[in-house]
Amino acid sequence: FGTEAAFHAARRAAGYCGVANWPSSILLEGTTRQSMSTIPATPEFEYGYLARAAQAGFETMAFFVSLDQARQALDAGLQRLVLHPGLHDAPDLAREGIYRAALQSIVDAIRREKPQTEILAYTSALHDDQLGLHRLKVDGFIHLEVAPT
């Protein structure tokens, strides 16, 4: 309950230097996506907030799962994007190359349209094992580490 400027000032005072939209609405689908959009919890809203945070001096990372979402982030003025592979129940290991090629095609399209964009990929041990995401040609990786319980 306050202004974005006050929130940015408090965050800066607490030592934060960056903002990312993770967890994010990028993974919402169907009726859940429609319901959440009334809050608004949408990628467009998140990218707009990130753009304002960047204008306030924060580093930003914009997560996306599709070329359309990447373009929305770029249109908002964001230049560091993180490709998320999406949610999967049990990937078909025989098609991991096809899936990875689809993700790479998104990266390649962004590079053609906005070559200066920094593109990272979100991955984990599971993603690497099942989909070989470490083979993507990107600028770097955000790697999820889960501590054993």
Side-chain angles (χ1 to χ4, degrees):
F1 300 108
T3 66
E4 279 186 15
F7 187 59
H8 291 320
R11 196 172 9 193
R12 188 178 279 56
Y16 289 92
C17 62
V19 182
N21 63 321
W22 189 250
S24 173
S25 65
I26 62 170
L27 299 172
L28 299 177
E29 298 176 338
T31 56
T32 303
R33 180 180 211 135
Q34 185 177 15
S35 296
M36 296 297 283
S37 70
T38 63
I39 295 176
T42 64
E44 300 90 345
F45 182 82
E46 292 175 7
Y47 300 144
Y49 180 83
L50 288 175
R52 292 188 301 279
Q55 291 170 350
F58 288 94
E59 294 180 33
T60 60
M61 290 191 301
F63 281 74
F64 71 99
V65 295
S66 68
L67 183 55
D68 183 51
Q69 289 176 354
R71 287 176 175 147
Q72 291 170 3
L74 291 167
D75 288 347
L78 303 168
Q79 296 194 4
R80 181 181 294 147
L81 306 185
V82 182
L83 173 62
H84 191 288
L87 302 176
H88 305 281
D89 292 332
D92 180 353
L93 298 180
R95 291 192 245 173
E96 80 171 64
I98 294 170
Y99 187 77
R100 198 172 48 253
L103 293 175
Q104 188 66 56
S105 72
I106 294 171
V107 171
D108 294 344
I110 296 166
R111 293 230 189 273
R112 283 190 302 276
E113 294 175 21
K114 300 275 186 170
Q116 73 280 10
T117 304
E118 181 180 4
I119 305 170
L120 308 171
Y122 178 84
T123 189
S124 66
L126 180 66
H127 288 113
D128 281 341
D129 181 51
Q130 293 181 347
L131 300 170
L133 295 187
H134 62 279
R135 296 185 198 134
L136 288 172
K137 294 176 184 134
V138 293
D139 298 312
F141 296 91
I142 303 293
H143 197 276
L144 173 68
E145 295 286 333
V146 178
T149 55

